[in-house]
């Protein structure tokens, strides 16, 4: 039964199963989904709270616990509205637990949220993402409830319901004296290894007789000597218990997933297994072959009896009928019985319509009559064998079991439960109720039983609000925008339809429900066009470069818009189906108008009467013969040359043979934007001499190089294609395939991609674009690659894992531009083989660094201005809610190194420092970190941008490491921003809001502990000063110096402040600023500031500008010229640092060259093999206020 519970398995277990396999929604304002067939509500997983969800569902399905909690009113617990009042005594945890139970019972949503409850526990996002042991949670939660309920009538709730006593009885074999010892317990722990079941485990642990004899004698108090004795067995017939909850753990002892099997004691859920649902649907379809199929009342009643609460929206009733019977209402019954809604109105004795006629339900008398009349012969009507168990309307007295897995609730048969206890899925915690506990009849299938009135009122109002939100959302999600082109406002001109009036008058926008039929659409258009006369035909039209073209007519008024394959934003042409403006219109894709660019000779309009080459646009039907081009140009006969056919030698154009003049333009591969050259055969002025060069003013013809990247063998690796800026990309691609002698099938599954100077393949170029539109430069290189180019509504994106990325190591994906960031993230995770929900997307900037995160997860890529060719980074970590910052906090300890230590033994000194304070983790190859900077990671703080700096300090002080230091006040903490793994900008003052610091989503902060409080003014600058040790290349310990810059940022002012601080003569002081990233010192002198005296002194004499850029936290080296008059400020560590930087630069250069050679598949081939080290275990706690 228990399986191998303690064997670890990391390959198949994730910390959260929530949402797995479900399609993420793209609209952030959608209300929560309603309850499913079981009519029970799950609980959403916050990231790692499956153990909490399993325990809460168990307590919720324990009637005695639930009703005892509901019995405590606001007069005892207080009100959640008063929880923030200083003097109010509000017991938040039991109130939130009451509210959660009411939501699970009454709120019509698929899954409830535990966010408010865990907030009342005092949990942060870290605790919600971390998994714990469910038994530990059970004990801590019970303890928290006991503390919260002190002084109320429920003070003994836990003790009354869950308290037990273990009685150890030892019977003396000599005097028969019985010695008893009692132990209290809330739960029993049993060893399950090497036992066949729970009964054996309990027997071994608590019942089996233990004999004291021989060397293990018992000291009897009555006999006052060592005697033989034995534990007695208790008669437990009085204490019979029924199992009603089994919490299941899947995985090993360091991680996994929890779900729970629960017996529905009060019959709150609808129980029906999947195979029975399928059988019912099949049986309903079988009605079509029965006599009852002639009576739609019988079928509609049967459908409604299977629905939750026996009601359904009228719009969905027709869909259910089609789905379950295979035939629509319009096709089967409309001719005889009329529209569905009218039919329901004509049978008020059976069906009850709501006030707005949007939903329909069965009258109560038909619910009770169902077994006797509708289902009097279930074997004949529904074809259900009599041996089958009841389904949704099961009236048996035996409660059923449900498998509750976070948000998902499914029925499960009792016989199937034991089959689950195998392998890595094992029973971990069992809950029992006394067998003699009976439930009152009024509690059966009544979720409102014993729920307090104020919670009933709150849930009813919430359900009404949910219904309104779903109705609005349903309307928004099912509405299509259609563009109606009115035939009388169009005329046929130049091969296509064009409006005769303004665009506003000729095109009407119509919002229409996609679930309605074409007949409904036609009727709606009739009502809009009151003056329409004659037949009305609706046809699909599309805009093409030549104008508007009609494709096919919409037939079948009984079809819905979805069934007719009408898309959102579709163009509908409204006409009589024959002619427009007196011209008969050809329809269909065969005669689609094609816009061609034709080069030909014409006489110039000036007095010279010479011929010149001109380009003109002409429109032809796609099925027109090639020879029709001569007719359009009024040329009796001539030569047509095109560059979309195989070329020979150096000729750019190939003539179409005379025998092909009868073929169509489409058969010749001519498409919108194709360029052809037409020459009169009688003309002596040849435009194409043997060399293939233009002889007239057209000099824009040039070459493109196309390389074969299709991984297919070819005689040629690359070819040169002759093009102009008007050449269509499709023509170039087809010609390249032919000249590379590749398979013709590639024409349907290939694309052209520009190649940059580093050899990287860029975003594919659309087939329909010209080179000018695609901004492809002449002489550049294109790669012929497998796969279709993205359409106009799609984006071609690069993406990569992590933040340390080099060019050429990315993966690729094509997505719709209307896709949300959340759905795009899911697709990229699947393609990269990653799992889990702890990821977010960042956009890579131009220097291949991670930019700002894409915080609006419900926004579309188009709304965030993501373009084809952009690179997105998959970054670990969950984004904070909007308006919040998730800030990593570091602990900064300034160096405590003596200069002598540094000069004598640099390596020893550095190692001792790193052992005292952990250095910041680095990505990639670590650089030469200065030993004076030591950062220790403390954790993350999630805080509102509206919070002040002092509130951030207070929240950071709650982190475990800082709390151990017992910092007395926030004034003893400095806060710095962290850049390049070192403190950068000092944040002040404390009362300023975080948003005013403009930290950004990538901000990291570090804390520095002060010995005494400080209050820096707006003009004060904090500098780290270090006095150089004479005769040695080393410095003393750093000391903080506050410099008042009210009188200016001048070198003389700073030197005077340093001299005063160290009690030195100002003329004997030399100072320099240290640049740690370069390991260089730059002396500061008045001479540096007076180089350009011609400029204004106000702008020049400031240390804020170049070359110093002085700011808070900078290190200032100080020399006492009385003892040290050399010019050198550097140290031995600086020499080592510069040498390390030089070696690092060489290593990075070699690494980049190697990465360019490797393919992205090589880079990520072993990505799935990496395993993350397991973090340290954290204790679980629930913070409760004192109510004693």
């Amino acid at each position: 039964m228990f399986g191998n519970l303690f064997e670890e398995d990391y390959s198949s277990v994730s910390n959260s199963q929530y949402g797995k396999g479900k399609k993420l929604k793209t609209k952030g304002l959608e209300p929560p989904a309603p309850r499913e067939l079981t009519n029970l509500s799950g609980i959403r997983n916050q990231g790692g709270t499956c153990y909490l969800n399993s325990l809460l569902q168990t307590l919720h399905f324990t009637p005695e616990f639930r009703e005892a909690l509901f019995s405590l009113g606001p007069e005892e617990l207080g009100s959640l509205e008063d929880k923030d009042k200083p003097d109010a005594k509000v017991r938040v945890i039991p109130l939130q637990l009451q509210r959660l139970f009411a939501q699970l019972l009454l709120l019509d949503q698929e899954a409830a949220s535990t966010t408010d409850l865990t907030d009342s526990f005092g949990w942060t996002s870290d605790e919600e993402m971390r998994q714990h042991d469910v038994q530990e949670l059970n004990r801590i939660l019970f303890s928290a409830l006991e503390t919260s309920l002190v002084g109320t009538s429920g003070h003994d709730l836990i003790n009354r319901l869950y308290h037990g006593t273990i009685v150890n009885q030892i019977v003396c074999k000599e005097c028969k004296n019985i010695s008893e010892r009692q132990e209290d317990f809330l739960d029993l722990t049993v060893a399950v290894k090497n036992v066949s079941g729970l009964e054996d485990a309990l027997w071994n642990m608590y019942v089996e007789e233990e004999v004291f004899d021989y060397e293990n004698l018992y000291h009897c108090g009555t006999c006052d000597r060592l005697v033989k004795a034995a534990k007695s067995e208790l008669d437990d017939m009085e204490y019979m218990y029924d199992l009603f909850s089994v919490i299941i753990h899947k995985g090993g002892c360091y991680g996994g997933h929890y779900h729970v099997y629960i017996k529905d004691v009060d019959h709150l859920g609808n129980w029906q297994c999947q195979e029975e649902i399928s059988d019912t649907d099949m049986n309903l379809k079988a009605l079509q072959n029965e006599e009852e199929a002639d009576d739609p009342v019988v079928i509609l009643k049967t459908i409604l009896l299977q629905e939750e609460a026996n009601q359904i929206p009228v719009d969905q009733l027709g869909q259910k009928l089609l789905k379950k019977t295979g035939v629509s209402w319009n096709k089967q019954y409309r001719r005889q019985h009329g529209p569905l809604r009218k039919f329901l109105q004509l049978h008020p004795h059976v069906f009850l319509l709501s006030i707005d006629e949007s939903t329909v339900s069965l009258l109560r008398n038909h619910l009770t009559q169902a077994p006797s009349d509708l289902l009097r012969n279930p074997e004949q009507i529904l074809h259900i064998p009599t041996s089958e168990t009841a389904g949704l309307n099961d009236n048996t007295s035996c409660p059923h079991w449900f498998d509750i897995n976070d948000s998902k609730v499914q029925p499960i048969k009792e016989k199937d439960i034991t089959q689950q206890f195998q392998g890595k899925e094992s029973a971990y915690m069992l809950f029992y109720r006394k067998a003699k506990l009976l439930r009152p009849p009024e509690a059966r299938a009544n979720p409102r039983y014993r729920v307090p009135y104020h919670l009933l009122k709150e849930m009813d109002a919430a359900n009404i609000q949910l219904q309104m939100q779903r109705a609005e959302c349903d309307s928004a999600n099912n509405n299509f925008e259609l563009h109606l082109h009115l035939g009388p406002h169009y005329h046929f001109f130049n091969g296509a339809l064009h409006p005769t009036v303004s665009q506003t008058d000729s095109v009407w926008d119509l919002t229409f429900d996609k679930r309605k039929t074409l007949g409904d659409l036609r009727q709606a258009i009739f009502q809009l066009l009151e003056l329409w006369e004659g037949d009305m035909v609706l046809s699909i039209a599309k805009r093409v470069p030549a104008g508007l073209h009609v494709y096919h007519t919409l037939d079948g008024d009984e079809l819905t818009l979805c069934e007719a394959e009408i898309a959102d934003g579709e163009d509908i042409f409204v006409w009589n189906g024959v002619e427009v403006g007196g011209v008969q219109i050809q329809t269909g894709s065969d005669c689609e108008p094609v816009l061609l660019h034709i080069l030909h000779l014409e006489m110039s309009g000036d007095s010279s009467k010479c011929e010149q080459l001109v380009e003109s646009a002409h429109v032809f039907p796609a099925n027109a013969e090639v020879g029709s081009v001569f007719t359009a140009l009024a040329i009796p006969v001539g030569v047509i040359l095109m560059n979309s056919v195989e070329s020979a030698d150096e000729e750019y154009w190939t003539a179409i043979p005379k025998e092909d003049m009868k073929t169509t333009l489409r058969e010749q591969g001519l498409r919108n934007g194709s360029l052809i050259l037409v020459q009169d055969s009688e003309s002596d002025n040849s435009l194409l001499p043997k060399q293939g060069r233009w002889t007239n003013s057209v000099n824009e013809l040039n070459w493109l190089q196309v390389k074969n990247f299709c991984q297919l063998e070819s005689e040629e690796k690359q070819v040169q294609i002759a093009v102009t800026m008007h050449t269509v990309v499709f023509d170039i691609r087809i010609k390249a395939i032919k000249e590379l002698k590749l398979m013709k099938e590639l024409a349907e599954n290939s694309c052209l991609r520009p190649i940059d100077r580093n050899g990287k393949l860029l975003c594919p170029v659309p087939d329909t674009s010209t080179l000018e539109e695609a901004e492809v430069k002449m002489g550049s290189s294109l790669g012929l690659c497998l796969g279709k180019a993205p359409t106009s509504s799609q984006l071609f994106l690069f993406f990569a894992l992590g933040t340390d990325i080099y060019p050429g190591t990315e993966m690729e994906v094509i997505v719709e531009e209307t896709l949300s960031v959340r759905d795009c993230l899911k697709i990229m995770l699947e393609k990269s083989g990653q799992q889990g929900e702890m990821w977010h997307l960042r956009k890579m900037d131009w220097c291949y660094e991670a930019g700002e995160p894409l915080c609006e997860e419900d926004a579309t890529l188009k709304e965030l201005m993501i373009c084809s060719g952009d690179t997105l980074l998959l970054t670990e970590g969950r984004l904070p809610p909007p308006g919040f910052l998730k800030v990593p906090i570091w602990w900064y300890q300034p160096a405590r190194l003596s200069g002598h230590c540094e000069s004598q033994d640099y390596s020893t000194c550095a190692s001792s420092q790193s052992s005292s304070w952990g250095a910041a983790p680095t990505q990639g190859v670590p650089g030469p970190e200065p030993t004076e900077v030591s950062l220790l990671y403390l954790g993350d703080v999630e805080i509102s941008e509206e919070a002040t700096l002092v509130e951030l300090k207070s929240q950071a002080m709650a982190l475990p490491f800082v709390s151990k230091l017992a910092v007395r006040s926030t004034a003893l903490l400095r806060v710095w921003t962290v850049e390049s793994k070192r403190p950068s900008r000092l944040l002040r003052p404390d009362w300023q809001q975080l948003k005013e610091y403009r930290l950004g989503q990538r901000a990291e902060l570090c804390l520095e502990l002060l010995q005494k409080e400080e209050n820096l003014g707006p003009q004060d600058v904090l500098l780290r000063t270090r006095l150089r040790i004479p005769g040695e290349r080393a410095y003393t310990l750093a000391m903080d110096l506050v410099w008042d810059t009210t009188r200016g940022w001048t070198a003389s002012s700073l030197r005077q402040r340093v001299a005063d601080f160290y009690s030195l003569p100002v003329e004997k002081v030399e100072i320099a600023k240290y640049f740690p990233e370069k390991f260089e010192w730059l002396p500061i002198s008045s001479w540096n500031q007076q180089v350009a005296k011609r400029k204004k002194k106000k702008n020049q004499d400031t240390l804020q500008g170049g070359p110093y850029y002085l700011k808070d936290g900078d290190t200032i080296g100080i020399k006492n010229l009385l003892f040290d008059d050399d010019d050198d400020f550097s140290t031995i560590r600086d020499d080592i640092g510069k040498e390390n930087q030089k070696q690092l630069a060489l290593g990075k250069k070699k690494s980049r060259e190697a990465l360019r050679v490797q393919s992205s598949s090589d880079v990520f081939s072993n990505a799935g093999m990496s395993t993350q080290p397991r973090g340290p275990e954290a204790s679980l706690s629930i913070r409760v206020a004192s109510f004693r």
Side-chain angles (χ1 to χ4, degrees), residues 50 90 110 257 308 360 547 586 617 695 759 850 868 917 1064 1078 1171 1180 1187:
C50 55
V90 181
E110 182 183 26
H257 182 66
E308 177 185 335
V360 60
Q586 290 184 323
T695 58
S868 283
W917 296 91
L1064 296 173
K1078 299 180 181 178
T1171 57
L1180 179 66
F1187 297 100

Side-chain angles (χ1 to χ4, degrees), residues 164-176:
T165 304
I166 298 176
V167 179
N168 291 320
Q169 292 186 346
I170 301 178
V171 181
C172 176
K173 295 288 187 179
E174 302 290 337
C175 64
K176 306 302 180 182

Side-chain angles (χ1 to χ4, degrees), residues 8 124 248 288 337 348 350 442 488 592 679 811 886 894 921 1073 1083 1151 1174:
E8 296 185 44
T124 64
I248 303 294
Q288 300 304 302
H337 300 283
V350 180
E442 57 269 23
E592 177 183 314
Q679 184 172 342
M811 291 173 278
K886 187 174 183 180
K1073 178 189 171 179
S1151 178
R1174 187 166 58 244

Side-chain angles (χ1 to χ4, degrees), residues 710 712 730 733-734 737 743-752 767 784-789:
C710 290
L712 299 174
F730 173 81
R733 183 166 63 85
I734 298 301
I737 291 173
M743 296 183 299
K744 293 182 179 180
E745 288 77 10
L746 281 177
E748 300 297 329
N749 188 34
S750 62
C751 61
L752 290 178
D767 269 351
L784 180 65
C785 305
L786 291 174
K788 294 183 178 180

Side-chain angles (χ1 to χ4, degrees), residues 833-943:
Q834 302 299 316
Q835 295 181 350
E837 299 181 357
M838 297 299 294
W839 295 86
H840 66 275
L841 288 176
R842 292 177 180 266
K843 187 175 179 181
M844 180 183 287
D845 58 24
W846 63 273
C847 55
Y848 275 85
E849 293 183 354
E852 290 292 325
L854 304 183
C855 299
E856 300 177 37
E857 294 188 336
D858 293 314
T860 64
L861 300 175
K862 184 178 181 179
E863 291 170 350
L864 297 181
M865 293 185 289
I866 303 297
C867 304
S868 283
D870 285 348
T871 300
L872 302 182
L873 298 179
L874 289 169
T875 310
E876 281 194 283
R878 188 182 65 168
L879 286 175
F884 279 74
L885 297 172
K886 187 174 183 180
V887 186
I889 303 295
W890 301 81
W891 185 259
Y892 169 50
Q893 178 72 10
R896 292 295 176 258
L897 301 173
S898 68
H900 295 287
C901 175
E902 181 180 348
S903 63
Q904 293 172 4
D905 189 355
Y906 167 79
S907 60
T908 306
C909 185
S911 63
S912 65
Q913 175 70 8
S914 63
S915 63
S916 302
W917 296 91
T922 60
Q923 294 180 348
V925 181
E929 285 289 318
T931 55
E932 63 191 8
V933 176
S934 182
L935 296 177
L936 178 69
Y937 177 71
L938 303 180
D940 292 344
V941 168
E942 192 169 297
I943 191 169

Side-chain angles (χ1 to χ4, degrees), residues 172-185:
C172 176
K173 295 288 187 179
E174 302 290 337
C175 64
K176 306 302 180 182
N177 179 59
I178 299 176
S179 174
E180 287 189 354
R181 181 171 59 88
Q182 296 186 358
E183 297 178 8
D184 296 333
F185 69 90

Side-chain angles (χ1 to χ4, degrees), residues 88-105:
K89 212 172 188 181
V90 181
R91 305 168 195 265
V92 182
I93 293 178
L95 283 172
Q96 291 290 8
L97 204 55
Q98 278 186 345
R99 192 165 178 267
L100 175 64
F101 285 177
Q103 291 175 351
L104 292 173
L105 286 169

